[in-house]
Amino acid sequence: MAIAPLTPELLRAFPLFESLEQADLERLLERHLASALGEDQLLVQESDWGETLFLIRAGLAKVRCFSPDGEEVVLCLLGPGDVFGEMALLDEKPRSADVLSLTPVNLVKFSGALFRQLMLSRAPLSLAIAQLQSKRLRELNRRFAIHSADASTRLLNALAQLACLSQSGANVLSVFPALGQRELAAIAGLSRETTSRTLSKLRERGYLEETAAGMRLLSEEPLKRRCLL
Ligand code: CMP
């Protein structure tokens, strides 16, 4: 995936970094590392110690942990412009969850020590991190609330989320990379069999199409009916 080298101007376009002065952006970029990785790569491992903040420039990732009986629990999806790895920097504890790529990803790694140093001296950056945490808690609340909904609602919610995250400016009807049924099942919190049945139902009703470019929801109507929009 060809992607332009990161400049202070490009970095400032990401919400977390928009308050930073040119000199701060340059300091962050002096020690950054860009990498391109394939799908299904472990980007961060739960319980590891880590001193890096990550920015996703392209691609999709999932944050996951495991239940005590070994079942994968997807906590959150991440896409272009999202950062991760900030929790271990903030509380100086091991990584709270695994982060894995769902598609090929372009990542930028920043020095956690420098980022923490900037947070101590730049109040707007600290506020931006607090806002990020608040946004994540809202998303988790929403995910928790949807957990007892029917299979169609949970799968539609997962598909709409993937569509919105797939690229900047995307919406629920945007094309997104076709993921396997096992992956969609984990994201929606459903069994594979239920996911397969529900996908067929959505296709038959004309709500979902799969082409060489990827998957796409074809109507907002089932989302609106379920208060997902
Ligand atoms: P860290 O704990 O350093 O490493 C794992 C990362 O996953 C974590 O930082 C956050 O960036 C991210 N993460 C963990 N839990 C959630 C969640 N519930 N929602 C969004 N991101 C999360």
PDB file of all heavy atoms in Angstrom, residues 44 63 75-76 78 83-89 94-99 136 139-140, ligand 1:
ATOM      1  N   VAL A  44      -0.151  -5.366  18.882  1.00  0.00           N
ATOM      2  CA  VAL A  44       0.139  -5.143  20.299  1.00  0.00           C
ATOM      3  C   VAL A  44      -0.385  -6.369  21.032  1.00  0.00           C
ATOM      4  O   VAL A  44      -1.463  -6.870  20.708  1.00  0.00           O
ATOM      5  CB  VAL A  44      -0.607  -3.862  20.772  1.00  0.00           C
ATOM      6  CG1 VAL A  44      -0.946  -3.926  22.236  1.00  0.00           C
ATOM      7  CG2 VAL A  44       0.231  -2.615  20.510  1.00  0.00           C
ATOM      8  N   VAL A  63      -9.485  -4.506  18.431  1.00  0.00           N
ATOM      9  CA  VAL A  63      -8.965  -4.621  19.795  1.00  0.00           C
ATOM     10  C   VAL A  63      -9.720  -5.782  20.420  1.00  0.00           C
ATOM     11  O   VAL A  63     -10.953  -5.806  20.365  1.00  0.00           O
ATOM     12  CB  VAL A  63      -9.226  -3.328  20.597  1.00  0.00           C
ATOM     13  CG1 VAL A  63      -8.671  -3.473  22.005  1.00  0.00           C
ATOM     14  CG2 VAL A  63      -8.627  -2.121  19.895  1.00  0.00           C
ATOM     15  N   LEU A  75     -13.478  -5.853  21.417  1.00  0.00           N
ATOM     16  CA  LEU A  75     -13.850  -4.683  22.229  1.00  0.00           C
ATOM     17  C   LEU A  75     -14.126  -3.467  21.350  1.00  0.00           C
ATOM     18  O   LEU A  75     -14.911  -2.596  21.700  1.00  0.00           O
ATOM     19  CB  LEU A  75     -12.711  -4.338  23.197  1.00  0.00           C
ATOM     20  CG  LEU A  75     -12.337  -5.419  24.207  1.00  0.00           C
ATOM     21  CD1 LEU A  75     -11.030  -5.072  24.889  1.00  0.00           C
ATOM     22  CD2 LEU A  75     -13.454  -5.572  25.228  1.00  0.00           C
ATOM     23  N   CYS A  76     -13.441  -3.405  20.206  1.00  0.00           N
ATOM     24  CA  CYS A  76     -13.519  -2.187  19.419  1.00  0.00           C
ATOM     25  C   CYS A  76     -12.857  -2.406  18.058  1.00  0.00           C
ATOM     26  O   CYS A  76     -11.970  -3.247  17.927  1.00  0.00           O
ATOM     27  CB  CYS A  76     -12.756  -1.125  20.219  1.00  0.00           C
ATOM     28  SG  CYS A  76     -12.457   0.388  19.375  1.00  0.00           S
ATOM     29  N   LEU A  78     -10.840  -0.394  14.868  1.00  0.00           N
ATOM     30  CA  LEU A  78     -10.060   0.832  14.635  1.00  0.00           C
ATOM     31  C   LEU A  78      -9.813   0.991  13.139  1.00  0.00           C
ATOM     32  O   LEU A  78      -9.673   0.005  12.416  1.00  0.00           O
ATOM     33  CB  LEU A  78      -8.711   0.743  15.353  1.00  0.00           C
ATOM     34  CG  LEU A  78      -8.732   0.501  16.866  1.00  0.00           C
ATOM     35  CD1 LEU A  78      -7.318   0.230  17.377  1.00  0.00           C
ATOM     36  CD2 LEU A  78      -9.333   1.686  17.609  1.00  0.00           C
ATOM     37  N   VAL A  83      -5.760   6.138  16.941  1.00  0.00           N
ATOM     38  CA  VAL A  83      -4.521   5.803  17.641  1.00  0.00           C
ATOM     39  C   VAL A  83      -4.812   4.671  18.622  1.00  0.00           C
ATOM     40  O   VAL A  83      -5.947   4.484  19.040  1.00  0.00           O
ATOM     41  CB  VAL A  83      -3.913   7.009  18.422  1.00  0.00           C
ATOM     42  CG1 VAL A  83      -3.473   8.104  17.490  1.00  0.00           C
ATOM     43  CG2 VAL A  83      -4.873   7.529  19.456  1.00  0.00           C
ATOM     44  N   PHE A  84      -3.796   3.929  18.967  1.00  0.00           N
ATOM     45  CA  PHE A  84      -3.930   2.937  20.037  1.00  0.00           C
ATOM     46  C   PHE A  84      -2.592   2.797  20.759  1.00  0.00           C
ATOM     47  O   PHE A  84      -1.562   3.279  20.281  1.00  0.00           O
ATOM     48  CB  PHE A  84      -4.456   1.586  19.509  1.00  0.00           C
ATOM     49  CG  PHE A  84      -3.570   0.902  18.515  1.00  0.00           C
ATOM     50  CD1 PHE A  84      -2.588  -0.008  18.931  1.00  0.00           C
ATOM     51  CD2 PHE A  84      -3.701   1.143  17.168  1.00  0.00           C
ATOM     52  CE1 PHE A  84      -1.766  -0.657  18.013  1.00  0.00           C
ATOM     53  CE2 PHE A  84      -2.889   0.509  16.226  1.00  0.00           C
ATOM     54  CZ  PHE A  84      -1.913  -0.383  16.660  1.00  0.00           C
ATOM     55  N   GLY A  85      -2.679   2.149  21.917  1.00  0.00           N
ATOM     56  CA  GLY A  85      -1.469   1.987  22.719  1.00  0.00           C
ATOM     57  C   GLY A  85      -1.306   3.111  23.733  1.00  0.00           C
ATOM     58  O   GLY A  85      -0.303   3.181  24.428  1.00  0.00           O
ATOM     59  N   GLU A  86      -2.315   3.977  23.839  1.00  0.00           N
ATOM     60  CA  GLU A  86      -2.205   5.114  24.754  1.00  0.00           C
ATOM     61  C   GLU A  86      -2.437   4.707  26.211  1.00  0.00           C
ATOM     62  O   GLU A  86      -1.939   5.369  27.120  1.00  0.00           O
ATOM     63  CB  GLU A  86      -3.194   6.235  24.356  1.00  0.00           C
ATOM     64  CG  GLU A  86      -4.637   6.071  24.780  1.00  0.00           C
ATOM     65  CD  GLU A  86      -5.362   4.945  24.061  1.00  0.00           C
ATOM     66  OE1 GLU A  86      -4.823   4.393  23.099  1.00  0.00           O
ATOM     67  OE2 GLU A  86      -6.479   4.595  24.510  1.00  0.00           O
ATOM     68  N   MET A  87      -3.158   3.586  26.433  1.00  0.00           N
ATOM     69  CA  MET A  87      -3.500   3.239  27.816  1.00  0.00           C
ATOM     70  C   MET A  87      -2.263   2.873  28.634  1.00  0.00           C
ATOM     71  O   MET A  87      -2.093   3.346  29.761  1.00  0.00           O
ATOM     72  CB  MET A  87      -4.546   2.116  27.831  1.00  0.00           C
ATOM     73  CG  MET A  87      -5.925   2.612  27.397  1.00  0.00           C
ATOM     74  SD  MET A  87      -7.159   1.321  27.176  1.00  0.00           S
ATOM     75  CE  MET A  87      -7.338   0.724  28.838  1.00  0.00           C
ATOM     76  N   ALA A  88      -1.401   2.034  28.067  1.00  0.00           N
ATOM     77  CA  ALA A  88      -0.182   1.650  28.794  1.00  0.00           C
ATOM     78  C   ALA A  88       0.721   2.863  29.042  1.00  0.00           C
ATOM     79  O   ALA A  88       1.449   2.905  30.034  1.00  0.00           O
ATOM     80  CB  ALA A  88       0.571   0.572  28.006  1.00  0.00           C
ATOM     81  N   LEU A  89       0.634   3.853  28.144  1.00  0.00           N
ATOM     82  CA  LEU A  89       1.433   5.074  28.358  1.00  0.00           C
ATOM     83  C   LEU A  89       0.873   5.885  29.517  1.00  0.00           C
ATOM     84  O   LEU A  89       1.607   6.498  30.287  1.00  0.00           O
ATOM     85  CB  LEU A  89       1.400   5.974  27.118  1.00  0.00           C
ATOM     86  CG  LEU A  89       1.987   5.460  25.823  1.00  0.00           C
ATOM     87  CD1 LEU A  89       1.967   6.561  24.782  1.00  0.00           C
ATOM     88  CD2 LEU A  89       3.407   5.003  26.072  1.00  0.00           C
ATOM     89  N   PRO A  94       0.958  -2.844  31.913  1.00  0.00           N
ATOM     90  CA  PRO A  94       1.079  -3.602  30.655  1.00  0.00           C
ATOM     91  C   PRO A  94      -0.098  -3.315  29.718  1.00  0.00           C
ATOM     92  O   PRO A  94      -1.128  -2.787  30.147  1.00  0.00           O
ATOM     93  CB  PRO A  94       1.068  -5.064  31.108  1.00  0.00           C
ATOM     94  CG  PRO A  94       1.447  -5.029  32.532  1.00  0.00           C
ATOM     95  CD  PRO A  94       0.949  -3.732  33.091  1.00  0.00           C
ATOM     96  N   ARG A  95       0.061  -3.683  28.470  1.00  0.00           N
ATOM     97  CA  ARG A  95      -0.995  -3.503  27.467  1.00  0.00           C
ATOM     98  C   ARG A  95      -2.291  -4.151  27.944  1.00  0.00           C
ATOM     99  O   ARG A  95      -2.278  -5.277  28.434  1.00  0.00           O
ATOM    100  CB  ARG A  95      -0.574  -4.126  26.131  1.00  0.00           C
ATOM    101  CG  ARG A  95       0.691  -3.528  25.528  1.00  0.00           C
ATOM    102  CD  ARG A  95       0.476  -2.104  25.105  1.00  0.00           C
ATOM    103  NE  ARG A  95       1.608  -1.601  24.331  1.00  0.00           N
ATOM    104  CZ  ARG A  95       1.735  -0.321  23.995  1.00  0.00           C
ATOM    105  NH1 ARG A  95       0.853   0.568  24.396  1.00  0.00           N
ATOM    106  NH2 ARG A  95       2.752   0.071  23.279  1.00  0.00           N
ATOM    107  N   SER A  96      -3.400  -3.445  27.746  1.00  0.00           N
ATOM    108  CA  SER A  96      -4.688  -3.901  28.280  1.00  0.00           C
ATOM    109  C   SER A  96      -5.387  -4.911  27.385  1.00  0.00           C
ATOM    110  O   SER A  96      -6.344  -5.565  27.813  1.00  0.00           O
ATOM    111  CB  SER A  96      -5.603  -2.687  28.453  1.00  0.00           C
ATOM    112  OG  SER A  96      -5.807  -2.063  27.192  1.00  0.00           O
ATOM    113  N   ALA A  97      -4.979  -5.028  26.134  1.00  0.00           N
ATOM    114  CA  ALA A  97      -5.676  -5.899  25.186  1.00  0.00           C
ATOM    115  C   ALA A  97      -4.745  -6.178  24.009  1.00  0.00           C
ATOM    116  O   ALA A  97      -3.709  -5.526  23.859  1.00  0.00           O
ATOM    117  CB  ALA A  97      -6.944  -5.199  24.687  1.00  0.00           C
ATOM    118  N   ASP A  98      -5.148  -7.149  23.182  1.00  0.00           N
ATOM    119  CA  ASP A  98      -4.434  -7.379  21.914  1.00  0.00           C
ATOM    120  C   ASP A  98      -4.988  -6.411  20.879  1.00  0.00           C
ATOM    121  O   ASP A  98      -6.179  -6.080  20.903  1.00  0.00           O
ATOM    122  CB  ASP A  98      -4.752  -8.781  21.354  1.00  0.00           C
ATOM    123  CG  ASP A  98      -4.181  -9.908  22.180  1.00  0.00           C
ATOM    124  OD1 ASP A  98      -3.199  -9.681  22.899  1.00  0.00           O
ATOM    125  OD2 ASP A  98      -4.725 -11.027  22.081  1.00  0.00           O
ATOM    126  N   VAL A  99      -4.139  -5.993  19.948  1.00  0.00           N
ATOM    127  CA  VAL A  99      -4.608  -5.265  18.767  1.00  0.00           C
ATOM    128  C   VAL A  99      -4.094  -6.034  17.548  1.00  0.00           C
ATOM    129  O   VAL A  99      -2.894  -6.321  17.457  1.00  0.00           O
ATOM    130  CB  VAL A  99      -4.123  -3.802  18.740  1.00  0.00           C
ATOM    131  CG1 VAL A  99      -4.715  -3.074  17.539  1.00  0.00           C
ATOM    132  CG2 VAL A  99      -4.501  -3.071  20.038  1.00  0.00           C
ATOM    133  N   ARG A 136     -14.231   6.449  23.556  1.00  0.00           N
ATOM    134  CA  ARG A 136     -14.126   4.981  23.597  1.00  0.00           C
ATOM    135  C   ARG A 136     -15.095   4.393  24.614  1.00  0.00           C
ATOM    136  O   ARG A 136     -15.662   3.338  24.386  1.00  0.00           O
ATOM    137  CB  ARG A 136     -12.690   4.581  23.913  1.00  0.00           C
ATOM    138  CG  ARG A 136     -11.818   4.969  22.761  1.00  0.00           C
ATOM    139  CD  ARG A 136     -10.556   4.201  22.695  1.00  0.00           C
ATOM    140  NE  ARG A 136     -10.013   4.360  21.369  1.00  0.00           N
ATOM    141  CZ  ARG A 136      -8.734   4.343  21.097  1.00  0.00           C
ATOM    142  NH1 ARG A 136      -7.862   4.157  22.053  1.00  0.00           N
ATOM    143  NH2 ARG A 136      -8.315   4.477  19.863  1.00  0.00           N
ATOM    144  N   GLU A 139     -18.474   4.348  23.081  1.00  0.00           N
ATOM    145  CA  GLU A 139     -18.595   3.258  22.101  1.00  0.00           C
ATOM    146  C   GLU A 139     -18.777   1.916  22.807  1.00  0.00           C
ATOM    147  O   GLU A 139     -19.571   1.079  22.382  1.00  0.00           O
ATOM    148  CB  GLU A 139     -17.347   3.202  21.199  1.00  0.00           C
ATOM    149  CG  GLU A 139     -17.390   4.258  20.113  1.00  0.00           C
ATOM    150  CD  GLU A 139     -16.066   4.437  19.389  1.00  0.00           C
ATOM    151  OE1 GLU A 139     -15.128   3.624  19.600  1.00  0.00           O
ATOM    152  OE2 GLU A 139     -15.972   5.406  18.637  1.00  0.00           O
ATOM    153  N   LEU A 140     -18.038   1.763  23.911  1.00  0.00           N
ATOM    154  CA  LEU A 140     -18.139   0.511  24.666  1.00  0.00           C
ATOM    155  C   LEU A 140     -19.530   0.385  25.287  1.00  0.00           C
ATOM    156  O   LEU A 140     -20.122  -0.693  25.295  1.00  0.00           O
ATOM    157  CB  LEU A 140     -17.044   0.478  25.740  1.00  0.00           C
ATOM    158  CG  LEU A 140     -16.613  -0.891  26.232  1.00  0.00           C
ATOM    159  CD1 LEU A 140     -16.122  -1.772  25.103  1.00  0.00           C
ATOM    160  CD2 LEU A 140     -15.534  -0.760  27.290  1.00  0.00           C
TER     161      LEU A 140
HETATM  162  P1  CMP B   1      -2.830  -0.297  25.495  1.00  0.00           P
HETATM  163  O1  CMP B   1      -3.456  -0.883  26.721  1.00  0.00           O
HETATM  164  O2  CMP B   1      -1.550   0.363  25.632  1.00  0.00           O
HETATM  165  O3  CMP B   1      -2.730  -1.465  24.391  1.00  0.00           O
HETATM  166  C1  CMP B   1      -3.944  -2.011  23.876  1.00  0.00           C
HETATM  167  C2  CMP B   1      -4.739  -0.877  23.300  1.00  0.00           C
HETATM  168  O4  CMP B   1      -6.022  -1.211  22.822  1.00  0.00           O
HETATM  169  C3  CMP B   1      -5.067   0.153  24.394  1.00  0.00           C
HETATM  170  O5  CMP B   1      -3.877   0.739  24.843  1.00  0.00           O
HETATM  171  C4  CMP B   1      -6.035   1.038  23.678  1.00  0.00           C
HETATM  172  O6  CMP B   1      -5.385   1.876  22.765  1.00  0.00           O
HETATM  173  C5  CMP B   1      -6.814  -0.031  22.913  1.00  0.00           C
HETATM  174  N1  CMP B   1      -8.032  -0.400  23.676  1.00  0.00           N
HETATM  175  C6  CMP B   1      -8.146  -1.176  24.762  1.00  0.00           C
HETATM  176  N2  CMP B   1      -9.437  -1.287  25.149  1.00  0.00           N
HETATM  177  C7  CMP B   1     -10.141  -0.549  24.268  1.00  0.00           C
HETATM  178  C8  CMP B   1     -11.528  -0.276  24.110  1.00  0.00           C
HETATM  179  N3  CMP B   1     -12.452  -0.778  24.938  1.00  0.00           N
HETATM  180  N4  CMP B   1     -11.891   0.553  23.113  1.00  0.00           N
HETATM  181  C9  CMP B   1     -10.961   1.052  22.255  1.00  0.00           C
HETATM  182  N5  CMP B   1      -9.648   0.802  22.339  1.00  0.00           N
HETATM  183  C10 CMP B   1      -9.248   0.012  23.332  1.00  0.00           C
END
